[in-house]
Amino acid sequence: MEGDMKCRFCSENESIIHLYFDCSMAKYIWGLIALVVGANCRPTLFHAFWVWAKRFLPHAKNYHMVGLAGVCWAISKARNSSCFEKKVTKSPTQIVCTISSFISFWAELQGGENKKELEDGAGVLKATALLYHPQMPGGDDLRVAAIR
């Protein structure tokens, strides 16, 4: 690969693991998701995600892939918009709202109770992101630290 090898969010060296788990942006996103699901930690690697999801969302196994796909796709979309369209992601709240939108959209592909549970989960995620991202005079100010 040619080009800038620095993360578009934090300027550290970029890798797949960094982008989705180690970047400060990803840590915030996963920390917020952990808060929503009642976890006291966040996943730090792809294979750790499956263990984490099984532990903290044991009754929602059929949604684990949807959640992971939503997170990864939203982070990738923000990263690629920065790289190729020069769009700046001002806060992780923007990415969390995109995750929520993806999950809500994909809920339409489900039937009955699965659809409702995915829609409800997406709504709680978005509401929590907005709750912890108050609009401050003079700009955005994030008040939540990522779960370490």
Side-chain angles (χ1 to χ4, degrees):
M1 185 172 130
E2 293 181 21
D4 188 1
M5 298 302 290
K6 298 292 183 188
C7 177
R8 302 301 262 186
F9 303 124
C10 71
S11 299
E12 295 290 324
N13 290 331
E14 187 176 74
S15 68
I16 298 296
I17 298 303
H18 173 82
L19 181 63
Y20 296 122
F21 296 100
D22 290 342
C23 174
S24 56
M25 185 78 76
K27 285 179 180 180
Y28 182 94
I29 292 165
W30 283 113
L32 188 73
I33 293 168
L35 179 69
V36 168
V37 303
N40 61 356
C41 61
R42 60 178 171 74
T44 56
L45 297 165
F46 284 107
H47 70 272
F49 166 80
W50 301 110
V51 174
W52 180 87
K54 187 184 242 183
R55 178 175 174 201
F56 294 106
L57 296 165
H59 303 295
K61 290 180 185 175
N62 49 335
Y63 308 135
H64 295 175
M65 182 63 81
V66 173
L68 180 61
V71 170
C72 292
W73 195 2
I75 291 172
S76 293
K77 185 174 168 36
R79 181 224 179 253
N80 290 343
S81 290
S82 176
C83 288
F84 304 115
E85 299 170 25
K86 307 297 185 227
K87 291 183 180 175
V88 176
T89 299
K90 294 181 182 179
S91 79
T93 302
Q94 289 177 273
I95 297 174
V96 174
C97 288
T98 301
I99 294 166
S100 177
S101 294
F102 286 153
I103 292 171
S104 293
F105 182 76
W106 295 333
E108 293 296 321
L109 302 173
Q110 305 296 316
E113 191 61 28
N114 288 343
K115 177 183 176 184
K116 182 176 177 356
E117 286 181 4
L118 278 172
E119 287 174 339
D120 290 349
V124 170
L125 179 61
K126 183 176 182 178
T128 303
L130 295 174
L131 175 70
Y132 284 100
H133 183 87
Q135 296 295 315
M136 304 300 288
D140 296 338
D141 184 18
L142 297 177
R143 300 287 182 183
V144 173
I147 293 174
R148 300 269 177 228

